[in-house]
Amino acid sequence: MTTVAVLADVHGVLPALEAVLGEADVQAADRIVLAGDIASGPQPVETLDVLTALGDRVVWVRGNADRELVEMARGTYDAQPPDAVSPWAAEQLRPDQVGLLAALPTTVTIGEVLFCHATPRDDEEVVLVDSPITRWAQVFEGLPDEVRTVVCGHTHMPFARQVDRRLVVNAGSVGMPYGAPGPSWALLSADGVQLRRAPLDAAKAADRILSESSYPGRADWVAEYLLHNYSDTKALEAFRPRSEA
């Protein structure tokens, strides 16, 4: 079986990305799948450069934040920005990086495993670990029978659960994890699925972003997302209305 390390929701946080890429099982994996929302954050250019340098081992999937970055960079985004950092990040990207993100697929299938950002049919649809089977059935309607595992991100909270004979895995978030501190990622191997967290010194990571990023709001950003950790309880409460839509 192909061994796959899944990194979702990096959100342009280079120290967190480097911590995960430094994990022995990530370095040994046959493939590294990026499950979307890769660059929208305080270090977008540097994050994309590190990942593209890894070459063909990396399998890219586009998330909603990546799509929005492209639209912002090309002047076609006509909604209220989801946060303060995205418009800034879009302005930083080089043309080749905008082209890279624009060309990414929304799903990739390797063997019996489908990788997506939010759900196979929508890059910002919300489904939670405790969503009812009826909700999951809607999301998976029309999915080929040969797809036995679906791996996603989007909600920044890792989980693995069975849904009508399929395994659903959320790899959590590398750059903005909810529920527990530390970059989360997933390993798929012959031994099954393992949800992992990489060690990260949050204070040192925050100092790096403060010194290396030119994002004007970086101090507030690191205070909210690196030096603080949202609980899964609060995150689930916040996502619940969207999961029932």
Side-chain angles (χ1 to χ4, degrees):
M1 174 183 176
T2 300
T3 302
V4 180
V6 186
L7 283 58
D9 297 274
V10 177
H11 279 288
V13 185
L14 187 59
L17 172 62
E18 291 175 343
V20 175
L21 293 177
E23 295 277 81
D25 284 336
V26 175
Q27 294 180 356
D30 299 309
R31 293 285 186 270
I32 297 173
V33 173
L34 305 173
D37 285 12
I38 301 160
S40 183
Q43 295 169 291
V45 172
E46 300 91 334
T47 294
L48 290 175
D49 281 344
V50 165
L51 291 169
T52 54
L54 296 176
D56 293 340
R57 284 183 64 217
V58 177
V59 178
W60 301 67
V61 174
R62 193 183 71 198
N64 63 293
D66 306 311
R67 170 176 52 79
E68 291 161 359
L69 281 186
V70 171
E71 293 170 355
M72 290 175 188
R74 292 179 172 176
T76 60
Y77 189 80
D78 58 3
Q80 181 70 25
D83 50 44
V85 73
S86 295
W88 174 86
E91 292 177 352
Q92 310 311 304
L93 297 180
R94 301 189 305 265
D96 63 296
Q97 294 176 323
V98 175
L100 168 68
L101 295 179
L104 297 183
T106 55
T107 66
V108 170
T109 301
I110 300 175
E112 298 180 344
V113 184
L114 183 146
F115 300 89
C116 59
H117 176 60
T119 71
R121 66 182 186 177
D122 191 296
D123 66 10
E124 56 185 358
E125 188 171 33
V126 173
V127 195
L128 303 172
V129 62
D130 57 354
S131 293
I133 291 293
T134 52
R135 172 70 171 136
W136 284 101
Q138 293 173 352
V139 169
F140 289 165
E141 185 177 2
L143 207 60
D145 289 341
E146 55 266 29
V147 172
R148 306 315 309 159
T149 301
V150 176
V151 182
C152 61
H154 190 49
T155 61
H156 298 207
M157 292 175 285
F159 68 79
R161 64 163 287 182
Q162 290 294 135
V163 176
D164 191 19
R165 294 167 295 176
R166 279 194 178 99
L167 177 63
V168 181
V169 179
N170 190 309
S173 172
V174 171
M176 298 168 60
Y178 300 158
S184 58
W185 59 283
L187 182 68
L188 281 63
S189 69
D191 296 326
V193 174
Q194 298 176 43
L195 301 176
R196 300 282 193 87
R197 287 193 184 271
L200 178 70
D201 187 318
K204 288 183 178 179
D207 287 343
R208 276 192 59 191
I209 290 175
L210 290 173
S211 63
E212 296 174 13
S213 172
S214 61
Y215 172 48
R218 59 192 180 277
D220 290 338
W221 194 98
V222 299
E224 182 170 4
Y225 295 112
L226 271 178
L227 302 178
H228 170 265
N229 180 248
Y230 283 100
S231 76
D232 51 320
T233 301
K234 290 185 177 180
L236 286 168
E237 290 174 354
F239 280 125
R240 187 82 59 205
R242 292 172 56 190
S243 73
E244 297 169 352

Short mmCIF file of all heavy atoms in Angstrom, two decimals, residues 154-198:
data_model
loop_
_atom_site.label_atom_id
_atom_site.label_comp_id
_atom_site.label_asym_id
_atom_site.label_seq_id
_atom_site.Cartn_x
_atom_site.Cartn_y
_atom_site.Cartn_z
N HIS A 154 -10.54 21.24 6.38
CA HIS A 154 -11.50 22.33 6.39
C HIS A 154 -11.94 22.81 7.77
O HIS A 154 -11.95 24.00 8.03
CB HIS A 154 -12.72 21.97 5.54
CG HIS A 154 -13.66 23.12 5.29
ND1 HIS A 154 -13.24 24.35 4.85
CD2 HIS A 154 -15.01 23.22 5.42
CE1 HIS A 154 -14.29 25.16 4.72
NE2 HIS A 154 -15.38 24.50 5.05
N THR A 155 -12.32 21.90 8.67
CA THR A 155 -12.82 22.34 9.97
C THR A 155 -11.72 22.42 11.03
O THR A 155 -12.00 22.83 12.16
CB THR A 155 -13.93 21.41 10.48
OG1 THR A 155 -13.41 20.08 10.62
CG2 THR A 155 -15.11 21.40 9.53
N HIS A 156 -10.50 22.02 10.68
CA HIS A 156 -9.34 22.16 11.56
C HIS A 156 -9.40 21.27 12.80
O HIS A 156 -8.64 21.47 13.73
CB HIS A 156 -9.15 23.63 12.01
CG HIS A 156 -8.90 24.58 10.90
ND1 HIS A 156 -8.21 25.77 11.07
CD2 HIS A 156 -9.24 24.55 9.58
CE1 HIS A 156 -8.13 26.42 9.91
NE2 HIS A 156 -8.76 25.69 9.01
N MET A 157 -10.28 20.27 12.80
CA MET A 157 -10.41 19.36 13.94
C MET A 157 -10.28 17.92 13.45
O MET A 157 -11.11 17.45 12.67
CB MET A 157 -11.77 19.55 14.63
CG MET A 157 -11.90 20.89 15.34
SD MET A 157 -13.57 21.15 16.01
CE MET A 157 -14.49 21.54 14.51
N PRO A 158 -9.23 17.20 13.87
CA PRO A 158 -9.02 15.85 13.36
C PRO A 158 -10.01 14.85 13.93
O PRO A 158 -10.42 14.93 15.08
CB PRO A 158 -7.59 15.52 13.83
CG PRO A 158 -7.40 16.37 15.05
CD PRO A 158 -8.18 17.63 14.80
N PHE A 159 -10.40 13.89 13.08
CA PHE A 159 -11.22 12.77 13.55
C PHE A 159 -11.17 11.65 12.52
O PHE A 159 -10.76 11.85 11.36
CB PHE A 159 -12.68 13.18 13.80
CG PHE A 159 -13.46 13.56 12.57
CD1 PHE A 159 -14.01 12.59 11.73
CD2 PHE A 159 -13.70 14.89 12.26
CE1 PHE A 159 -14.74 12.95 10.60
CE2 PHE A 159 -14.43 15.26 11.13
CZ PHE A 159 -14.95 14.27 10.29
N ALA A 160 -11.59 10.47 12.93
CA ALA A 160 -11.79 9.33 12.03
C ALA A 160 -13.06 8.63 12.48
O ALA A 160 -13.22 8.34 13.67
CB ALA A 160 -10.60 8.38 12.07
N ARG A 161 -13.96 8.36 11.55
CA ARG A 161 -15.21 7.69 11.89
C ARG A 161 -15.72 6.90 10.70
O ARG A 161 -15.36 7.17 9.54
CB ARG A 161 -16.27 8.68 12.35
CG ARG A 161 -16.73 9.67 11.29
CD ARG A 161 -18.05 10.34 11.68
NE ARG A 161 -19.18 9.41 11.56
CZ ARG A 161 -20.45 9.76 11.81
NH1 ARG A 161 -20.73 10.99 12.20
NH2 ARG A 161 -21.42 8.88 11.68
N GLN A 162 -16.55 5.91 10.98
CA GLN A 162 -17.19 5.12 9.94
C GLN A 162 -18.49 5.80 9.53
O GLN A 162 -19.24 6.32 10.35
CB GLN A 162 -17.49 3.71 10.43
CG GLN A 162 -16.27 2.84 10.64
CD GLN A 162 -15.54 2.54 9.35
OE1 GLN A 162 -14.31 2.63 9.28
NE2 GLN A 162 -16.28 2.16 8.31
N VAL A 163 -18.76 5.77 8.22
CA VAL A 163 -20.01 6.29 7.67
C VAL A 163 -20.51 5.30 6.62
O VAL A 163 -20.02 5.27 5.50
CB VAL A 163 -19.81 7.68 7.03
CG1 VAL A 163 -21.12 8.13 6.38
CG2 VAL A 163 -19.36 8.69 8.06
N ASP A 164 -21.43 4.44 7.03
CA ASP A 164 -22.04 3.47 6.12
C ASP A 164 -20.99 2.72 5.31
O ASP A 164 -20.98 2.73 4.09
CB ASP A 164 -23.04 4.17 5.20
CG ASP A 164 -23.90 3.17 4.42
OD1 ASP A 164 -23.98 2.00 4.84
OD2 ASP A 164 -24.48 3.57 3.39
N ARG A 165 -20.09 2.08 6.02
CA ARG A 165 -19.05 1.21 5.45
C ARG A 165 -17.91 1.96 4.77
O ARG A 165 -17.02 1.35 4.17
CB ARG A 165 -19.65 0.19 4.46
CG ARG A 165 -20.58 -0.83 5.11
CD ARG A 165 -21.38 -1.59 4.09
NE ARG A 165 -22.31 -0.69 3.38
CZ ARG A 165 -23.07 -1.08 2.38
NH1 ARG A 165 -23.01 -2.33 1.94
NH2 ARG A 165 -23.90 -0.24 1.79
N ARG A 166 -17.92 3.27 4.88
CA ARG A 166 -16.78 4.07 4.44
C ARG A 166 -16.08 4.65 5.66
O ARG A 166 -16.71 4.97 6.66
CB ARG A 166 -17.21 5.22 3.53
CG ARG A 166 -17.47 4.85 2.10
CD ARG A 166 -17.55 6.12 1.25
NE ARG A 166 -17.75 5.79 -0.16
CZ ARG A 166 -18.93 5.83 -0.76
NH1 ARG A 166 -20.01 6.16 -0.07
NH2 ARG A 166 -19.04 5.52 -2.05
N LEU A 167 -14.78 4.82 5.54
CA LEU A 167 -14.02 5.51 6.58
C LEU A 167 -13.86 6.97 6.17
O LEU A 167 -13.49 7.27 5.03
CB LEU A 167 -12.64 4.87 6.74
CG LEU A 167 -11.69 5.52 7.76
CD1 LEU A 167 -12.27 5.44 9.17
CD2 LEU A 167 -10.32 4.87 7.71
N VAL A 168 -14.15 7.87 7.09
CA VAL A 168 -13.96 9.31 6.86
C VAL A 168 -12.87 9.79 7.81
O VAL A 168 -12.94 9.54 9.03
CB VAL A 168 -15.25 10.11 7.10
CG1 VAL A 168 -15.01 11.59 6.82
CG2 VAL A 168 -16.38 9.58 6.23
N VAL A 169 -11.88 10.47 7.27
CA VAL A 169 -10.75 10.96 8.05
C VAL A 169 -10.62 12.45 7.84
O VAL A 169 -10.60 12.93 6.69
CB VAL A 169 -9.44 10.27 7.63
CG1 VAL A 169 -8.27 10.81 8.45
CG2 VAL A 169 -9.55 8.76 7.76
N ASN A 170 -10.56 13.19 8.93
CA ASN A 170 -10.22 14.61 8.86
C ASN A 170 -8.82 14.76 9.44
O ASN A 170 -8.57 14.37 10.58
CB ASN A 170 -11.23 15.45 9.65
CG ASN A 170 -11.06 16.95 9.41
OD1 ASN A 170 -9.97 17.49 9.52
ND2 ASN A 170 -12.16 17.62 9.08
N ALA A 171 -7.93 15.32 8.64
CA ALA A 171 -6.52 15.43 9.06
C ALA A 171 -6.27 16.60 10.00
O ALA A 171 -5.15 16.76 10.48
CB ALA A 171 -5.62 15.57 7.82
N GLY A 172 -7.30 17.38 10.29
CA GLY A 172 -7.11 18.53 11.17
C GLY A 172 -6.45 19.68 10.44
O GLY A 172 -6.69 19.90 9.26
N SER A 173 -5.58 20.40 11.12
CA SER A 173 -4.93 21.57 10.52
C SER A 173 -3.48 21.66 10.96
O SER A 173 -3.17 21.53 12.15
CB SER A 173 -5.67 22.85 10.92
OG SER A 173 -4.96 24.00 10.49
N VAL A 174 -2.61 21.91 10.00
CA VAL A 174 -1.20 22.12 10.31
C VAL A 174 -1.00 23.50 10.95
O VAL A 174 -0.34 23.63 11.98
CB VAL A 174 -0.34 21.99 9.04
CG1 VAL A 174 1.10 22.43 9.31
CG2 VAL A 174 -0.37 20.56 8.52
N GLY A 175 -1.59 24.53 10.34
CA GLY A 175 -1.27 25.89 10.75
C GLY A 175 -2.19 26.51 11.77
O GLY A 175 -1.77 27.42 12.50
N MET A 176 -3.46 26.04 11.84
CA MET A 176 -4.43 26.65 12.75
C MET A 176 -5.26 25.55 13.42
O MET A 176 -6.47 25.47 13.23
CB MET A 176 -5.34 27.62 11.98
CG MET A 176 -4.61 28.78 11.35
SD MET A 176 -5.65 29.70 10.16
CE MET A 176 -6.99 30.25 11.21
N PRO A 177 -4.65 24.69 14.22
CA PRO A 177 -5.38 23.56 14.80
C PRO A 177 -6.37 24.00 15.87
O PRO A 177 -6.08 24.89 16.67
CB PRO A 177 -4.27 22.70 15.40
CG PRO A 177 -3.17 23.68 15.71
CD PRO A 177 -3.23 24.70 14.62
N TYR A 178 -7.54 23.37 15.86
CA TYR A 178 -8.52 23.55 16.92
C TYR A 178 -8.58 22.27 17.76
O TYR A 178 -8.37 21.17 17.25
CB TYR A 178 -9.92 23.81 16.35
CG TYR A 178 -10.04 25.04 15.47
CD1 TYR A 178 -11.06 25.15 14.54
CD2 TYR A 178 -9.13 26.09 15.56
CE1 TYR A 178 -11.20 26.26 13.73
CE2 TYR A 178 -9.25 27.22 14.76
CZ TYR A 178 -10.29 27.29 13.83
OH TYR A 178 -10.42 28.40 13.03
N GLY A 179 -8.90 22.44 19.04
CA GLY A 179 -9.11 21.27 19.89
C GLY A 179 -7.93 20.92 20.76
O GLY A 179 -8.09 20.50 21.89
N ALA A 180 -6.73 21.07 20.24
CA ALA A 180 -5.51 20.81 20.99
C ALA A 180 -4.37 21.53 20.29
O ALA A 180 -4.41 21.70 19.07
CB ALA A 180 -5.21 19.31 21.09
N PRO A 181 -3.37 21.96 21.02
CA PRO A 181 -2.26 22.68 20.38
C PRO A 181 -1.36 21.74 19.59
O PRO A 181 -1.31 20.54 19.84
CB PRO A 181 -1.51 23.30 21.57
CG PRO A 181 -1.83 22.40 22.72
CD PRO A 181 -3.22 21.91 22.49
N GLY A 182 -0.66 22.31 18.64
CA GLY A 182 0.29 21.54 17.84
C GLY A 182 -0.26 21.20 16.48
O GLY A 182 -1.44 20.86 16.35
N PRO A 183 0.57 21.28 15.44
CA PRO A 183 0.13 20.97 14.08
C PRO A 183 -0.38 19.54 13.96
O PRO A 183 0.31 18.60 14.36
CB PRO A 183 1.40 21.16 13.24
CG PRO A 183 2.31 21.99 14.09
CD PRO A 183 1.99 21.65 15.50
N SER A 184 -1.57 19.37 13.42
CA SER A 184 -2.13 18.02 13.26
C SER A 184 -2.04 17.59 11.81
O SER A 184 -2.12 18.40 10.89
CB SER A 184 -3.58 17.97 13.76
OG SER A 184 -4.39 18.90 13.08
N TRP A 185 -1.86 16.29 11.62
CA TRP A 185 -1.79 15.71 10.29
C TRP A 185 -2.18 14.24 10.40
O TRP A 185 -2.42 13.74 11.50
CB TRP A 185 -0.38 15.86 9.70
CG TRP A 185 0.73 15.22 10.50
CD1 TRP A 185 1.29 15.70 11.64
CD2 TRP A 185 1.39 13.99 10.21
NE1 TRP A 185 2.27 14.84 12.10
CE2 TRP A 185 2.35 13.78 11.23
CE3 TRP A 185 1.27 13.04 9.20
CZ2 TRP A 185 3.19 12.66 11.26
CZ3 TRP A 185 2.11 11.93 9.22
CH2 TRP A 185 3.06 11.75 10.24
N ALA A 186 -2.32 13.56 9.28
CA ALA A 186 -2.74 12.16 9.29
C ALA A 186 -1.79 11.31 8.46
O ALA A 186 -1.24 11.77 7.46
CB ALA A 186 -4.17 12.03 8.74
N LEU A 187 -1.62 10.07 8.91
CA LEU A 187 -0.79 9.10 8.19
C LEU A 187 -1.66 7.92 7.79
O LEU A 187 -2.31 7.29 8.63
CB LEU A 187 0.35 8.62 9.08
CG LEU A 187 1.32 7.63 8.43
CD1 LEU A 187 2.13 8.32 7.34
CD2 LEU A 187 2.27 7.03 9.48
N LEU A 188 -1.68 7.62 6.49
CA LEU A 188 -2.39 6.47 5.96
C LEU A 188 -1.35 5.45 5.49
O LEU A 188 -0.51 5.76 4.64
CB LEU A 188 -3.29 6.85 4.78
CG LEU A 188 -4.64 7.50 5.08
CD1 LEU A 188 -4.47 8.85 5.79
CD2 LEU A 188 -5.44 7.69 3.80
N SER A 189 -1.41 4.26 6.05
CA SER A 189 -0.42 3.23 5.72
C SER A 189 -1.07 1.86 5.80
O SER A 189 -2.28 1.73 6.05
CB SER A 189 0.77 3.30 6.68
OG SER A 189 0.38 2.90 7.98
N ALA A 190 -0.28 0.82 5.62
CA ALA A 190 -0.80 -0.54 5.73
C ALA A 190 -1.30 -0.84 7.13
O ALA A 190 -2.09 -1.77 7.34
CB ALA A 190 0.29 -1.53 5.32
N ASP A 191 -0.86 -0.07 8.10
CA ASP A 191 -1.31 -0.24 9.49
C ASP A 191 -2.61 0.49 9.78
O ASP A 191 -3.11 0.45 10.91
CB ASP A 191 -0.23 0.25 10.46
CG ASP A 191 1.04 -0.57 10.37
OD1 ASP A 191 0.93 -1.79 10.13
OD2 ASP A 191 2.13 0.01 10.54
N GLY A 192 -3.17 1.18 8.78
CA GLY A 192 -4.42 1.90 8.98
C GLY A 192 -4.19 3.40 9.00
O GLY A 192 -3.23 3.91 8.41
N VAL A 193 -5.06 4.11 9.70
CA VAL A 193 -5.01 5.56 9.78
C VAL A 193 -4.55 5.98 11.16
O VAL A 193 -5.06 5.48 12.17
CB VAL A 193 -6.38 6.19 9.48
CG1 VAL A 193 -6.34 7.70 9.71
CG2 VAL A 193 -6.81 5.87 8.06
N GLN A 194 -3.59 6.88 11.21
CA GLN A 194 -3.13 7.44 12.48
C GLN A 194 -3.26 8.96 12.43
O GLN A 194 -2.80 9.58 11.47
CB GLN A 194 -1.67 7.06 12.74
CG GLN A 194 -1.43 5.57 12.86
CD GLN A 194 0.04 5.25 13.02
OE1 GLN A 194 0.75 5.91 13.78
NE2 GLN A 194 0.52 4.26 12.29
N LEU A 195 -3.89 9.52 13.44
CA LEU A 195 -3.97 10.97 13.58
C LEU A 195 -2.80 11.43 14.43
O LEU A 195 -2.63 10.96 15.55
CB LEU A 195 -5.30 11.37 14.21
CG LEU A 195 -6.56 10.95 13.45
CD1 LEU A 195 -7.81 11.32 14.23
CD2 LEU A 195 -6.59 11.56 12.05
N ARG A 196 -2.02 12.33 13.92
CA ARG A 196 -0.77 12.72 14.57
C ARG A 196 -0.75 14.22 14.88
O ARG A 196 -1.44 15.01 14.25
CB ARG A 196 0.41 12.41 13.65
CG ARG A 196 0.56 10.93 13.26
CD ARG A 196 1.18 10.12 14.36
NE ARG A 196 1.60 8.81 13.89
CZ ARG A 196 2.79 8.54 13.34
NH1 ARG A 196 3.69 9.51 13.18
NH2 ARG A 196 3.10 7.32 12.93
N ARG A 197 0.11 14.58 15.84
CA ARG A 197 0.44 15.98 16.09
C ARG A 197 1.96 16.11 16.16
O ARG A 197 2.62 15.30 16.79
CB ARG A 197 -0.20 16.49 17.39
CG ARG A 197 -1.70 16.69 17.27
CD ARG A 197 -2.28 17.47 18.43
NE ARG A 197 -3.72 17.56 18.30
CZ ARG A 197 -4.37 18.51 17.65
NH1 ARG A 197 -3.68 19.48 17.07
NH2 ARG A 197 -5.68 18.51 17.58
N ALA A 198 2.47 17.14 15.51
CA ALA A 198 3.90 17.38 15.53
C ALA A 198 4.24 18.35 16.66
O ALA A 198 3.47 19.26 16.95
CB ALA A 198 4.36 17.97 14.20
#
